[in-house]
Amino acid sequence: MLTIMADLQAIYRDFGIQGIVPYSFQREGAAYRFLVEKIKEEEPLYFIFSEATSVPYLDVMNLGAYAMAYSSEKRAKLICDKLACRGDSTYPIKTTVFEEKEKIMLRIRDLGAAGVQIDDGVFVCIEDLTQRADYDGFKDLDLPMRNAGINASLYLLCQKLASGTAHQHLLLHFFRQVQAGHLLIPVAIAGTAEGALGKDDFIVPTMQSEDGCCLISVFTDTLSFLSACESDEKIRKLFPKQLTYVAEYRFLLELLTGSDGTVITVNPGTANLNIDRATFLGLEATTAAEEREMEIGATESEDPIPDFLK
């Protein structure tokens, strides 16, 4: 073991993280553990971010969604150029101190990514890089809401929409996640409400879009909401008390009922995905039709849902 560690130290001294990557493919191996330690130290690392969403760019492999990081700016810019050729606009963000890296890695975790690919080589599991999430979704009012499943499908969808390569299965998968889960709706307390508050004691503030639509802000997780309040002055002024209502899908439809021109915008500031009532109802109909086909043993479509989305 001492000899192996001495060899790794020598390789790292001469070539940095890039030199360790080819030896790190076994998660239980000494080189993998050495690599994880060096990533957590004050070693420059360039994370790839999406222009479309302003959060870490997600790609997909059999293990699921993953983020990307590089040991040099040159390598990071090369992958950004490569992604641009397929329509994805991205940019690198340099991190050095662990606190910067950890903030990004926690975000990657809550985006539903299984890990980070380093230098187009080794896949490092996210739970080896940052604290493991011990719950997902809405647990109780005292804990921040997470939505790894919704977030992965949402941000992959938004990236594909921006590049013009989105397909129906991504949209349907996102919709099914929303149907089965919870979302956060920022609210204000009605002026006459007092004591124990129920749903009817809240009002849902709205914003006006440039094209005249009435926008209802909806967030997939607590971090997305707090980040939006921090970075967007309009949202910060609209929701000064940062109150949220935990809502199910049917409540979203209620907000849109009888309100022509009203649109739900999911995660304003990052995803900025706008959905109106007609789109929700259309997705409902498509989902119901697919379920009926499955019940009668219909054959799979020519464009099956990838395994990582199931």
Side-chain angles (χ1 to χ4, degrees):
M1 177 61 76
L2 291 176
T3 302
I4 294 174
M5 292 305 296
D7 290 343
L8 291 172
Q9 290 284 5
I11 294 170
Y12 177 74
R13 185 171 56 251
D14 291 339
F15 302 103
I17 285 178
Q18 181 181 346
I20 301 298
V21 167
Y23 304 94
S24 305
F25 287 90
Q26 293 184 354
R27 188 179 180 190
E28 303 303 322
Y32 179 93
R33 294 193 298 272
F34 183 86
L35 176 65
V36 170
E37 289 175 6
K38 292 304 176 184
I39 289 173
K40 293 180 178 181
E41 293 177 1
E42 294 189 3
E43 176 76 19
L45 204 60
Y46 297 81
F47 289 90
I48 305 302
F49 273 61
S50 167
E51 289 274 9
T53 63
S54 301
V55 298
Y57 177 83
L58 298 182
D59 211 337
V60 176
M61 66 168 105
N62 290 336
L63 291 173
Y66 66 95
M68 294 183 285
Y70 293 84
S71 58
S72 71
E73 186 177 18
K74 181 179 179 180
R75 279 176 166 259
K77 287 183 175 180
L78 282 174
I79 193 62
C80 288
D81 292 341
K82 183 178 178 180
L83 291 169
C85 291
R86 69 186 204 191
D88 291 319
S89 296
T90 56
Y91 58 95
I93 285 188
K94 180 182 179 180
T95 60
T96 305
V97 299
F98 178 65
E99 287 75 15
E100 295 173 343
K101 296 176 184 176
E102 185 176 43
K103 185 176 180 180
I104 292 176
M105 289 187 291
L106 283 169
R107 192 71 184 113
I108 289 169
R109 181 199 68 186
D110 287 347
L111 288 177
V116 181
Q117 190 177 57
I118 308 295
D119 281 347
D120 292 327
V122 65
F123 177 88
V124 180
C125 295
I126 194 65
E127 61 191 47
D128 294 332
L129 294 171
T130 191
Q131 61 194 69
R132 185 175 184 175
D134 56 2
Y135 70 94
D136 194 47
F138 170 67
K139 190 170 183 181
D140 61 52
L141 295 174
D142 295 324
L143 291 171
M145 189 165 80
R146 297 189 178 117
N147 259 322
I150 290 181
N151 277 338
S153 59
L154 169 65
Y155 286 100
L156 283 166
L157 172 62
C158 290
Q159 289 174 188
K160 295 298 183 182
L161 287 170
S163 66
T165 58
H167 54 77
Q168 181 77 345
H169 284 313
L170 270 175
L171 182 57
L172 286 173
H173 180 68
F174 167 68
F175 174 69
R176 290 189 183 99
Q177 294 280 336
V178 170
Q179 271 190 314
H182 295 85
L183 295 172
L184 291 177
I185 301 178
V187 295
I189 299 175
T192 58
E194 58 183 32
L197 300 176
K199 182 175 70 174
D200 295 335
D201 296 316
F202 296 105
I203 57 174
V204 179
T206 60
M207 295 186 292
Q208 196 80 9
S209 68
E210 293 181 357
D211 58 1
C213 288
C214 183
L215 299 178
I216 297 175
S217 299
V218 172
F219 293 89
T220 56
D221 60 283
T222 303
L223 180 58
S224 294
F225 174 55
L226 296 179
S227 298
C229 289
E230 181 181 339
S231 61
D232 192 312
E233 186 177 358
K234 286 183 179 179
I235 293 177
R236 185 164 59 250
K237 287 182 177 179
L238 195 61
F239 313 115
K241 294 187 177 181
Q242 298 185 355
L243 299 175
T244 55
Y245 179 79
V246 179
E248 296 180 340
Y249 168 68
R250 285 294 157 193
F251 184 66
L252 299 183
L253 281 186
E254 287 180 25
L255 291 176
L256 295 172
T257 300
S259 302
D260 292 337
T262 300
V263 174
I264 282 174
T265 181
V266 184
N267 287 4
T270 54
N272 296 311
L273 180 66
N274 293 340
I275 308 177
D276 59 14
R277 181 177 174 82
T279 301
F280 273 134
L281 294 178
L283 291 169
E284 268 191 36
T286 302
T287 301
E290 287 191 354
E291 289 173 353
R292 286 194 299 271
E293 288 181 0
M294 291 179 65
E295 287 175 1
I296 63 175
T299 57
E300 292 186 357
S301 65
E302 295 180 357
D303 184 17
I305 300 175
D307 289 341
F308 76 92
L309 288 178
K310 292 179 179 176

